[in-house]
Amino acid sequence: MSAHLIDGKAFAARLREKVAASVAILKAEQGIVPGLAAVLVGNDPASAVYVRNKGVQTVAAGMATFEHKLPAQTAEVELLALIAQLNADPAVHGILVQLPLPPHIDADAVINAINPAKDVDGFHVTNVGLLATGQRSMIPCTPLGCLMLPREHFGNLAGRKAVVVGRSNIVGKPMAQLLLRESCTVTIAHSRTENLAAICRQADILVAAVGRAEMITGDFIKPGAVVIDVGINQIEWEDRVRLVGDVQRDSAAGIAGALTPVPGGVGPMTIACLLANTLTACCRISGLEDPEGLAA
Ligand code: NDP
C-alpha cells in the first residue's frame, strides 16, 4: 500500500482563489477592501521572507497590505504604540506580528495588545479562550489549515481517534481544541509522553508538530491513518540543505492511508488560512456574515 499524498499546495491555491472571489464581491457590493498589517521587528532573514510572501499573496487576493519593518533595537513601548495605531486604523482588519520577537520584547504583552477582532493569527488570550470554550474566535492559521485536510479526506471527523504530537500554543494545543470541537477523541502527546509510538498507532488522524526531523516513522502509524506533518526541519543531505518534516515519508507512506508531504503539504495552507482569516475578520468588523466555507 502507498499512501495518498495530500496536495496542500493545490488545496491552498483553491482556498486563495475562493478568498479572492469573496474579496472581489465585498469590494463590488460593499466598497470594502480587507487590509492586513504585518509587523516585522529585526533582521531575521527567514522572518523577512515569510512577511514578504504574505504581502505578495495578500495583494494577489485583492486585499491591501501594510508592512511595518522596525529595527531590532525597537523598544517594546514603541511597538505597543504601533499596535495601538493599527488597532485604531479602519483600513486595517488584520494585524500579524511576525514571531519570534527580539528577546527584550515581551511577545505575550505585544500579542495581547492586538484588538482580538483583528488578531488574524488567533494567538490573543481572548481568542485562545473563545476557542477552548467552543465560541466563535479567530483560529490560528496552521491548525486551521491542518484541520481542512483530514476534513476533506474523511468528511465528518466525529468519533475518530486523533493524536497530536506537540503541545505548543501555536500548533499543538489549538490543533487539539479544533479536533475536539469536531468530536474526535483527542490525545495530546509531548516530550514526556511514555510509549509514544503505541499511542500514535491508535490514531485515525495523527498530527506531528514536534520540530524533530523524521522522528515519526512507519512504526508510529496505524494502517490507513491520515498523517498531517506540520514539521519543517532543515537537514544537510548530500552537501545540500533539504527540508523534511517530522514524519519519515518513505516508511510512513507504506502504512498511512494519506499523508501530507514536506514541502507542499501544511506549509502553503498556513498563508492561505491567514488570507481567509483576514477576510473573516474584515466581514465580522464590518457587521457582515462570515464568508462561506472559510472560517472553521
Ligand atoms: P515547539 O518547539 O514550540 O513545540 C514542539 C513540541 O514538540 C513541544 O510540545 C514538545 O514537547 C514536543 N516534543 C519535542 N520533542 C519531542 C519528542 N521527542 N517526543 C514527543 N514530543 C516532543 O514547536 P512548534 O509547535 O512551534 O512547531 C512544531 C513544528 O512545526 C516545527 O518544525 C515548526 O517549524 C513547524 N511549524 C510549521 C508551520 C507551517 O506553516 N507548516 C507553522 C508553525 C510551525 P514539550 O512541550 O514537552 O517540550
Side-chain angles (χ1 to χ4, degrees):
M1 183 171 77
S2 189
H4 163 66
L5 277 188
I6 300 172
D7 188 345
K9 219 170 155 182
F11 195 112
R14 290 197 296 277
L15 187 58
R16 289 197 309 271
E17 274 170 27
K18 246 178 163 175
V19 170
S22 297
V23 168
I25 293 171
L26 193 63
K27 270 188 203 172
E29 292 184 355
Q30 309 283 343
I32 300 172
V33 180
L36 173 66
V39 180
L40 174 65
V41 185
N43 316 308
D44 178 53
S47 293
V49 171
Y50 288 140
V51 168
R52 196 163 51 244
N53 283 345
K54 286 169 185 170
V56 169
Q57 307 267 10
T58 307
V59 171
M63 304 199 227
T65 179
F66 309 94
E67 276 185 26
H68 295 268
K69 291 185 185 153
L70 307 179
Q73 64 275 19
T74 300
E76 185 176 309
V77 65
E78 289 176 73
L79 183 53
L80 290 172
L82 173 61
I83 301 292
Q85 183 194 316
L86 298 173
N87 282 341
D89 186 341
V92 172
H93 304 96
I95 301 170
L96 88 85
V97 176
Q98 184 65 43
L99 300 176
L101 288 169
H104 67 277
I105 294 178
D106 178 351
D108 286 339
V110 172
I111 303 254
N112 290 327
I114 297 172
N115 174 352
K118 296 188 177 186
D119 169 38
V120 283
D121 267 335
F123 296 157
H124 190 292
V125 281
T126 298
N127 282 316
V128 175
L130 290 170
L131 176 60
T133 51
Q135 300 179 69
R136 198 174 80 156
S137 67
M138 294 309 301
I139 292 172
C141 304
T142 300
L144 178 57
C146 288
L147 179 70
M148 290 177 181
L149 301 174
R151 252 191 191 163
E152 188 178 66
H153 186 84
F154 283 129
N156 188 351
L157 302 183
R160 305 269 174 194
K161 280 195 173 170
V163 174
V164 180
V165 192
R167 57 175 164 177
S168 73
N169 291 336
I170 292 174
V171 188
K173 282 183 196 145
M175 186 74 243
Q177 293 289 357
L178 283 176
L179 290 163
L180 191 59
R181 211 180 63 174
E182 297 287 313
S183 297
C184 292
T185 303
V186 184
T187 301
I188 306 178
H190 46 76
S191 66
R192 309 292 289 274
T193 298
E194 292 179 3
N195 302 322
L196 181 63
I199 288 170
C200 291
R201 268 198 306 275
Q202 296 177 357
D204 301 308
I205 301 164
L206 178 61
V207 181
V210 185
R212 289 183 182 266
E214 302 186 318
M215 188 192 106
I216 306 287
T217 58
D219 307 343
F220 288 59
I221 296 170
K222 175 178 173 176
V226 171
V227 180
I228 306 295
D229 189 355
V230 185
I232 301 177
N233 310 287
Q234 292 195 342
I235 58 164
E236 298 265 338
W237 186 70
E238 292 182 355
D239 294 335
R240 280 189 303 145
V241 174
R242 196 176 139 220
L243 281 190
V244 296
D246 290 341
V247 177
Q248 193 184 69
R249 195 198 296 193
D250 289 347
S251 64
I255 301 182
L259 174 65
T260 59
V262 177
V266 171
M269 291 298 291
T270 298
I271 295 190
C273 286
L274 175 71
L275 303 182
N277 275 354
T278 304
L279 175 60
T280 300
C282 176
C283 290
R284 289 179 184 172
I285 289 167
S286 309
L288 303 168
E289 303 252 309
D290 278 359
E292 209 179 316
L294 297 181

